[in-house]
Amino acid sequence: MKDAQPRAIFLKDYQEPDFWIKKTDLDFQLNDEYCEVTSTLTFVRNDKADKNAALILHGQDLDLQSLAIDGKALSEEDWQTAEESLTIHSVPDAFELRCVTRIKPQDNTSLEGLYRSRTMYCTQCEAEGFRKITYYLDRPDVMSEFSTRIEADKNAFPILLSNGNPVESGEADNGRHWVKWHDPHLKPAYLFALVAGNLCNIDDKFITQSGREVLLRIFVEEKDTDKVDHAMQSLKRAMKWDEDVYGREYDLDIFMIVAVDDFNMGAMENKGLNIFNTSCVLANKDTTTDFSFQRVEAVVAHEYFHNWSGNRVTCRDWFQLSLKEGFTVFRDSEFSADMNSRTVKRVEDVSLLRTLQFAEDAGPMAHPVQPASFIEISNFYTLTIYEKGAEVVRMIHSLLGPELFRKGSDLYFERHDGQAVTIEDFVAAMADVSGRDFNQFMRWYRQAGTPVLTISDRYDANAQTYTLTVKQSCPPTPESESKLPYHLPLKMGLLGDAGALPLKLRGAAADTETADNTSIVLEVKDAEESFVFENVQEKPVPSLLRDFSAPVKLKYNYSRMDLARLMSLDTDGFCRWDASQQFALQVIYDVMRDLTKAPSPEVDEAFIEACKAVLEDESLDPAIVALMLTLPSEDYIAELATVIDVESIHFARNHVKRKLAQKLYATFLQVYERLQTHEAYSPDAESIARRSLKNLALHYLVQSGKEEGLKLAEAQFDNADNMTDSQAALTNIAHAGSSAAESLAERCLKDFYGRWKNESLVVNQWFSIQARNPQRDALKRVETLMQHEAFDFNNPNKLRSVLGGFAMGNPINFHDRSGNGYAFLAQQILKLNKQNPQMASRLLTPLTKWKKYDEHRQKLMKAQLEIIKKEEKLSPDVYEVVTKSLS
Ligand code: B3K
Ligand code: ZN
């Protein structure tokens, strides 16, 4: 916690450090009352630095015991500490600093630095947690060779882990033991890790492409050893994929993953010793849903891929965060697409981006993929850095094609191996292998905001030409009022009555056309430009932004007939799905308009017919059908609105859902019955697809209001042999809202808890289902849940399930006109501000969107932000978000 007002730091002020640290030797003595850390650091002065520059190290909440340079103890005049630093006034050009500090991991509730989670010790150092362990140059451009010795009680902590390879171990006095680790790869401090605990390991091995054997070891608490297999298999698939697709091989003899219960985010890519939130590594069919199985696969892969994109080649400074995160998200999403259904993965990624990243871009925390400044870096682990960053890399991939992109990534890894570099270095490698000019493209990294593409067209029947005119613009964001045009790939095709039409673009070189000649990537660069297609024999419907080839908002005036045609005929799975969403939106808007006039407005029959056709088309991937039949979320509709009308969005969307459910009841029932299976559970893409459609059908059956629907859900709940079906049934019953469902919901929630109360991750889901329940009185329920025996205010997963579920997954109740939801959230944030600033600041997100609501809600939300702002000792995390939201 800082006394002075936190200040912003700027990318333009970047300077190399005055010193480098060649070697980092750490010794940890873990005791019950404190941990003593002795660091021996080999410093050399940077050639470019001032010869007299003092040594200034980062450090926070450290109890300094002693300092020595080259074996000579320093006296108090030689140094000075401030709240977040240690200055040693005069040092030679090369020297060894020995520093002893004490820390109290058991009191560290921020879950940053070294802390205790249940019975174990673990670390989280990214971005700036290492400075809570010892004084250091805690910045990613200082890369060092680490050795780590850990000593602790042998009974309580039989397992002692750090990065790299174990090199020595032994017994010590008083029942203690020690292990020494050495990591031969240079790394910044944010990749340091330490774990001590009583853990079980599950082992496997992987033979790399060059024939080396790597030991794979996953550590969990004993009770969880039956939930490791999926992560292990995912890890092996990821290792193989990175060799096949990127030519990247693993570089140590051992790769470890440790599962930890109290963790601020999903996982962390520490060199050779990944630390995971249990929710992102543990999985088995009894306790884990399909969604979580896929998340485990994706996160295991993501962290593994960081070994090259992040660890071997790291970031020069935190403004470059997307260099590793955007690229690694792109890599993991391609991996998931290859392992499962490409279209489903694309739709999921785009939904997330359009719903939450676009909202971020439109709010007070909007920032470029390469931010120009920040106050607290922890606030910049955002959807913009991760998801938009990945989209920007994807665009480079589309512009270059897979072969050139691979050449570019090879060059990047080879050129910068062992270095800390910038986004510019990454793009330069892509430019060098392709000879392309990425100057204009760099605006994707430097300008915040979501561009809008407005497309119009003209068909000339006589000349048989079809002209597309593309205009682009981008709304202002806090960091800049006006934006320059972007360079973007616009993938598209044309549909005639019978399907895809061949494309002949005027003036295009033959090789810009794809093999099948019905899909093309147009390169858009100007504020307005036109593309003319020749030999177009009939007036086409354009299929635009195929695969969502650029992270933009697309405006084209589709008629409902056009949308129905795209839904049934388009060869691009993404556009097919998108057409269903646009059609659904139009129908929901109809209802929002008509709700004021009639209590039960009609729903466009054409939409219902189009949905029926999709449902009955057994040739389609059931997962795509499920996605097409899922109405746009309330959050997405809200993102698209100029002023969010909470009630109207909620009721209109539910109304359309109910009408669909009633009119297509028989079809949903058929689908539900057709997809029943007696096969054993398996989390493969095909089975997941079938379950997703079956459970979507169940959702509509329950929403129809018919008693039979509820009975089917009850039967599924009682008989399910896997968590996906069980949870889908429970959610449907708990959220049904009819009086008939009430007692059933009570019974099922009780049964579910009774059965799973010893499985913390399942209990999180149980909390979340209730916190997200859209029925009335949610706030009361949430308050009760927070008193529940299984709730734990110190555990981020529990907070996310209950508080996050309510504030981010229950819009109709959180935004209740009384403002009670806002006040409740603000109270919790103030409570968390000191305890866990990162969690506090994350949970603030819904309040930051206040400007998008009606005047009444604006006032209430703003008032809560003002209350938070008044708090005396605000963490920099909360301070930054609150002040930016109010400015
Ligand atoms: N690199 C970490 C995130 C660290 C967040 C620090 N507040 C996980 C990941 O993106 O892989
Ligand atoms: Zn990452």
Side-chain angles (χ1 to χ4, degrees), residues 355-569:
T355 307
L356 300 178
Q357 195 281 324
F358 283 12
E360 190 168 278
D361 249 349
M365 285 296 288
H367 55 276
V369 174
Q370 183 184 54
S373 75
F374 57 75
I375 292 179
E376 171 52 62
I377 183 57
S378 298
N379 285 329
F380 285 76
Y381 287 77
T382 59
L383 290 143
T384 302
I385 300 293
Y386 277 69
E387 319 304 325
K388 185 175 178 180
E391 293 299 321
V392 176
V393 175
R394 180 177 295 278
M395 286 190 286
I396 298 178
H397 187 271
S398 309
L399 290 169
L400 259 51
E403 287 84 23
L404 269 181
F405 184 86
R406 167 66 193 271
K407 278 199 179 133
S409 71
D410 282 352
L411 178 62
Y412 167 72
F413 288 128
E414 189 192 319
R415 200 185 254 174
H416 299 296
D417 191 7
Q419 298 178 2
V421 301
T422 62
I423 285 171
E424 282 74 7
D425 292 319
F426 176 78
V427 179
M430 296 295 167
D432 288 353
V433 294
S434 63
R436 276 170 159 269
D437 178 357
F438 279 96
N439 278 313
Q440 183 185 355
F441 187 85
M442 287 310 290
R443 289 175 193 156
W444 282 108
Y445 286 108
R446 294 176 187 148
Q447 296 186 152
T450 309
V452 180
L453 285 196
T454 309
I455 300 188
S456 56
D457 58 354
R458 193 163 41 82
Y459 178 62
D460 183 334
N462 288 330
Q464 300 210 326
T465 56
Y466 175 74
T467 308
L468 268 187
T469 301
V470 182
K471 286 190 196 169
Q472 58 163 309
S473 62
C474 183
T477 53
E479 105 294 353
S480 94
E481 269 297 307
S482 66
K483 315 276 175 179
L484 295 165
Y486 292 85
H487 175 190
L488 60 98
L490 175 64
K491 189 172 175 193
M492 49 91 52
L494 297 176
L495 293 187
D497 277 343
L501 298 177
L503 302 175
K504 187 168 183 322
L505 179 67
R506 183 177 288 171
D511 69 352
T512 43
E513 288 159 25
T514 53
D516 73 351
N517 208 21
T518 60
S519 198
I520 192 170
V521 177
L522 304 175
E523 284 195 35
V524 176
K525 290 183 173 163
D526 300 334
E528 175 169 348
E529 61 195 295
S530 292
F531 301 88
V532 181
F533 293 90
E534 294 171 336
N535 297 345
V536 184
Q537 322 250 327
E538 58 182 302
K539 186 174 188 304
V541 175
S543 160
L544 298 167
L545 205 65
R546 286 186 160 176
D547 287 335
F548 197 68
S549 60
V552 298
K553 289 190 178 181
L554 179 75
K555 293 204 169 149
Y556 173 84
N557 213 354
Y558 281 116
S559 71
R560 295 184 185 198
M561 251 164 67
D562 293 344
L563 292 171
R565 188 190 304 184
L566 287 165
M567 274 171 77
S568 70
L569 282 184

Side-chain angles (χ1 to χ4, degrees), residues 46-89:
N46 185 342
D47 294 340
K48 297 176 199 153
D50 180 345
K51 294 288 155 225
N52 299 315
L55 175 70
I56 306 175
L57 301 179
H58 302 109
Q60 219 178 308
D61 305 331
L62 302 171
D63 178 6
L64 180 59
Q65 301 291 306
S66 70
L67 283 169
I69 286 188
D70 295 330
K72 190 167 164 283
L74 298 192
S75 67
E76 298 226 348
E77 303 83 71
D78 298 330
W79 51 267
Q80 191 179 3
T81 54
E83 206 159 357
E84 295 193 359
S85 66
L86 164 70
T87 303
I88 303 181
H89 306 302

Side-chain angles (χ1 to χ4, degrees), residues 90-124:
S90 167
V91 292
D93 289 343
F95 59 98
E96 195 184 86
L97 175 73
R98 197 179 152 88
C99 169
V100 181
T101 48
R102 285 185 184 171
I103 49 179
K104 292 197 165 169
Q106 69 276 18
D107 297 342
N108 179 353
T109 56
S110 68
L111 312 189
E112 197 191 29
L114 177 66
Y115 64 93
R116 272 194 89 135
S117 172
R118 294 161 58 96
T119 55
M120 66 174 114
Y121 288 96
C122 63
T123 52
Q124 172 53 39

